[in-house]
Amino acid sequence: MQASSELIFALSGVITGIILGILGYRLLSRNHRESNLMQQKLLESERQVEELKARMGTHLLDAHQHIDTLRTTADQLEHQLAHEARYWQLNDEKLQRLNLSDVVNRDAPASNVLNASESTLKSGVPRDYADGKNGTLSEDFGLKEREQAPQPPRY
């Protein structure tokens, strides 16, 4: 009986090991398949993002080229208008400003930035401080005194 009980224990151990191996393989292979599937989806989405980036780059370049052609066309139209105005000897202020701005735009594009900053200073940039001693605004700073509305004449 001793030999048969050892044989039974050995066979039951082998069968149990096979069953546990099959169950483990099934569980691990599902997780492995799912992870492979997720990795494949990730790679596919990264490829799509790269395609979108490439298409966006070409789109931006095309838009830039269109804008450049529009600028050159607008410049040509301005030159043609100025030439026609000189031909017809029109002395309109708008046309003179067009000619002056055309000369200024060619000569100094950086001066536009300086002119813009000077114009904002001249127009009165709002200040968040007062001219007083403590430097803060009071509650009623800049508010006008309430004037009573004029009374209508009584007859």
Side-chain angles (χ1 to χ4, degrees):
M1 248 206 51
Q2 194 127 14
S4 66
S5 67
E6 289 178 5
L7 189 59
I8 291 175
F9 283 129
L11 285 175
S12 65
V14 169
I15 292 173
T16 305
I18 291 173
I19 291 173
L20 287 176
I22 290 173
L23 289 175
Y25 177 75
R26 290 279 186 183
L27 290 175
L28 292 177
S29 67
R30 283 186 194 155
N31 290 338
H32 185 68
R33 274 187 268 152
E34 289 175 0
S35 67
N36 283 342
L37 186 62
M38 292 295 280
Q39 188 175 10
Q40 188 177 9
K41 286 181 182 179
L42 177 67
L43 291 173
E44 179 67 24
S45 63
E46 285 177 355
R47 186 189 59 80
Q48 288 175 351
V49 167
E50 290 299 322
E51 284 181 7
L52 287 173
K53 283 182 183 179
R55 280 191 265 154
M56 183 57 73
T58 57
H59 173 71
L60 291 176
L61 287 175
D62 290 343
H64 187 266
Q65 289 173 352
H66 289 301
I67 289 172
D68 283 342
T69 56
L70 285 173
R71 282 184 187 145
T72 55
T73 306
D75 289 340
Q76 290 172 356
L77 283 173
E78 285 181 11
H79 292 302
Q80 184 178 0
L81 285 173
H83 183 274
E84 293 290 325
R86 280 188 228 113
Y87 177 76
W88 291 103
Q89 297 175 352
L90 297 176
N91 292 330
D92 192 11
E93 291 179 21
K94 293 179 183 176
L95 293 174
Q96 290 175 358
R97 276 189 265 144
L98 175 69
N99 290 335
L100 290 176
S101 67
D102 189 27
V103 170
V104 169
N105 285 339
R106 281 190 224 146
D107 292 342
S111 67
N112 291 341
V113 174
L114 295 175
N115 291 338
S117 64
E118 288 176 6
S119 67
T120 56
L121 290 175
K122 289 179 184 175
S123 65
V125 178
R127 302 181 308 179
D128 61 348
Y129 59 90
D131 293 329
K133 295 178 183 175
N134 57 1
T136 59
L137 292 177
S138 64
E139 293 275 331
D140 58 348
F141 180 77
L143 297 178
K144 296 180 181 177
E145 294 292 326
R146 291 189 182 183
E147 298 176 6
Q148 293 181 353
Q151 296 292 329
R154 297 191 181 207
Y155 298 105

